[in-house]
Amino acid sequence: MKLKTSVKAVLALATLMGAAAQAAPQVEVLHYWTSGGEAKSVAELKKIMESKGVAWKDFAVAGGAGENAATALKARVMAGSPPTAAQIKGPSIQEWGQEGVLANIDQAATEGKWESTLPPVVTNVMKYKGHYVAVPVNVHRVNWLWVNPAVLAKAGAKAPTNFAEFFDAADKIKKAGLVALAHGGQPWQDATLFESVVLGTGGADFYKKALVQLDQATLTSPTMIKSFETLARIKTYIDKDAAGRDWNLATAMVINGKAGMQFMGDWAKGEFTAAGKVPGKDFLCVAAPGTDKAYTFNIDSLAMFKVKNPEQQKAQLVLANAVMSPGFQEVFNLNKGSIPVRAGAARDKFDSCAQKSMDDMAATSKAGALLPSMAHGMAINTAKAGAIQDVIARFMNSNMTPQAAAQALAKAAKTS
């Protein structure tokens, strides 16, 4: 009898322990932070969550600007099993909000006093119909040019501030037997390069009319044709093996001195930092040619999806406030190359590139030259952005004329 009782007790305890383990709160986070600097940043968030008693289930999907992750997310939502949170940004947050699948996280925003720590340009993006449904992680500056000063010295060139200087430097690097421009031939990378060229050619107001408002006359204007002419010339400095190359492999070419320059957002700095390189000494961060008075931004964010389990709902709020905590904002952005989204963040641990980004963001915000990145899903809806990227990719991979490209761009902007 005693033995039977003992066995029953052990079985009951095992059942309870199994139930407790099953009920332990967990967050499953779908993201595409998979390169060296990015992966370090995610590891820090995982540590914070686990220190708060919440298990982290990683759902990492590699692929540059997140196209693969977006496909995986659609499949999960359609199957009725969305992740707890997913890396989504810009107009895509509103698109998912319209589907009725995002969770209200106003409670986390109230507890964390987000309204007083975030600029309105950010809070507007994180809300759907007046309610928070996403939490911002950082602010990236997109219009950077990354430069290897040792390559410049070898070629007898200087860091460019405009396109005339850029082409002069590129010619000298090419003559020195090195790749002038490291680039990955993927549509989102082509679009990243293109939007910096448009901004450097036409200025902030032109960029806004063309790539945010999609004004038809602006898209077919002589200035847009000039932008494509500039892009056509830039193409000649990209090596023949660029097709399909991931962005971080292009960054590695600059880090290793195989290439002189790269147009890429400040997530590239995370790669330099992970390689032990020092800004101002081993690499230079300069505004893309002609864009020093403007700032194209990309805000990474985690959107929260509706989950039924009350424990999982609580875990979502824990995740949201962990992301917004000063400690995580600091360590994530130090690793990733971006800057904290919170106002008044401590600057002392951030390098000269990040401090310049903070200063330029503040200055361009006042001057009206703080602009959403078209290439990184901050400016226009997914369908239009995809159609525009297709035109740019076609131009990069064919002999399409600048005039034909401008006409095709205007047509793509009409995509519904």
Side-chain angles (χ1 to χ4, degrees):
M1 184 66 74
K2 278 184 182 175
L3 182 60
K4 281 185 183 174
T5 306
S6 300
V7 170
K8 279 182 183 174
V10 169
L11 287 171
L13 182 61
T15 305
L16 283 170
M17 286 173 72
Q22 218 171 7
Q26 173 185 277
V27 288
E28 183 186 19
V29 183
L30 190 161
H31 64 88
Y32 46 95
W33 292 310
T34 54
S35 74
E38 294 173 332
K40 268 189 179 181
S41 302
V42 174
E44 290 299 330
L45 185 53
K46 181 182 176 180
K47 269 189 217 167
I48 292 172
M49 292 303 289
E50 289 177 347
S51 75
K52 293 176 183 294
V54 178
W56 176 281
K57 187 177 179 184
D58 204 52
F59 188 176
V61 182
E67 300 97 330
N68 299 342
T71 304
L73 178 61
K74 278 175 192 164
R76 283 288 300 272
V77 174
M78 284 173 72
S81 65
T84 317
Q87 185 184 352
I88 306 172
K89 59 193 177 185
S92 290
I93 295 172
Q94 306 306 310
E95 289 168 24
W96 280 110
Q98 286 161 16
E99 297 295 322
V101 293
L102 296 185
N104 181 324
I105 55 166
D106 284 345
Q107 187 184 332
T110 303
E111 288 169 4
K113 298 178 180 164
W114 296 3
E115 290 290 319
S116 60
T117 55
L118 293 171
V121 71
V122 177
T123 58
N124 292 343
V125 178
M126 300 303 130
K127 292 175 182 176
Y128 177 68
K129 290 191 173 175
H131 296 286
Y132 280 99
V133 292
V135 56
V137 183
N138 58 355
V139 178
H140 280 295
R141 186 182 195 173
V142 180
N143 60 312
W144 283 116
L145 182 73
W146 303 92
V147 182
N148 184 316
V151 170
L152 289 187
K154 185 179 178 183
K158 65 172 186 172
T161 61
N162 55 45
F163 280 114
E165 291 177 3
F166 172 83
F167 290 124
D168 180 65
D171 282 332
K172 287 174 178 170
I173 293 166
K174 204 171 177 180
K175 276 181 190 163
L178 296 165
V179 176
L181 185 67
H183 184 69
Q186 296 172 336
W188 74 269
Q189 292 190 63
D190 292 339
T192 300
L193 169 58
F194 171 75
E195 74 176 19
S196 281
V197 171
V198 169
L199 182 59
T201 306
D205 287 341
F206 178 80
Y207 176 99
K208 206 179 292 180
K209 279 183 188 169
L211 300 183
V212 182
Q213 296 165 2
L214 302 179
D215 176 69
Q216 287 288 303
T218 306
L219 290 170
T220 55
S221 66
T223 305
M224 183 57 74
I225 292 167
K226 189 183 176 189
S227 297
F228 275 112
E229 287 169 352
T230 302
L231 189 61
R233 190 172 170 192
I234 289 171
K235 276 200 295 185
T236 65
Y237 297 99
I238 298 169
D239 68 293
K240 61 180 174 50
D241 299 320
R245 179 188 286 142
D246 286 334
W247 70 270
N248 51 315
L249 298 181
T251 305
M253 292 169 67
V254 181
I255 292 171
N256 300 328
K258 291 178 182 173
M261 301 176 281
Q262 181 190 20
F263 286 85
M264 189 52 61
D266 55 19
W267 47 93
K269 194 187 69 179
E271 299 300 299
F272 284 98
T273 306
K277 303 299 181 184
V278 180
K281 176 176 167 261
D282 304 312
F283 69 96
L284 308 176
C285 51
V286 296
T291 73
D292 62 318
K293 295 287 189 289
Y295 190 116
T296 45
F297 68 83
N298 172 21
I299 299 170
D300 282 322
S301 52
L302 289 176
M304 303 296 171
F305 282 77
K306 285 179 179 173
V307 288
K308 291 172 185 170
N309 186 323
E311 288 300 313
Q312 305 299 76
Q313 290 169 3
K314 284 181 198 168
Q316 274 182 329
L317 300 177
V318 173
L319 174 62
N321 271 325
V323 166
M324 276 292 288
S325 66
F328 175 70
Q329 285 279 317
E330 182 176 275
V331 75
F332 181 93
N333 289 293
L334 283 169
N335 277 321
K336 199 165 187 300
S338 42
I339 60 173
V341 70
R342 292 178 64 102
R347 295 165 60 109
D348 54 324
K349 289 184 186 172
F350 286 89
D351 62 30
S352 55
C353 293
Q355 291 193 20
K356 177 169 171 50
S357 185
M358 290 174 189
D359 293 342
D360 288 355
M361 183 178 172
T364 55
S365 182
K366 285 176 188 167
L370 184 59
L371 307 160
S373 167
M374 178 279 298
H376 294 273
M378 298 304 302
I380 53 179
N381 73 39
T382 313
K384 285 182 166 61
I388 285 171
Q389 283 199 11
D390 287 346
V391 171
I392 299 160
R394 260 197 353 257
F395 181 79
M396 290 293 286
N397 295 290
S398 72
N399 293 320
M400 184 189 276
T401 66
Q403 289 80 2
Q407 291 296 329
L409 197 69
K411 188 179 177 184
K414 290 179 179 175
T415 303
S416 58

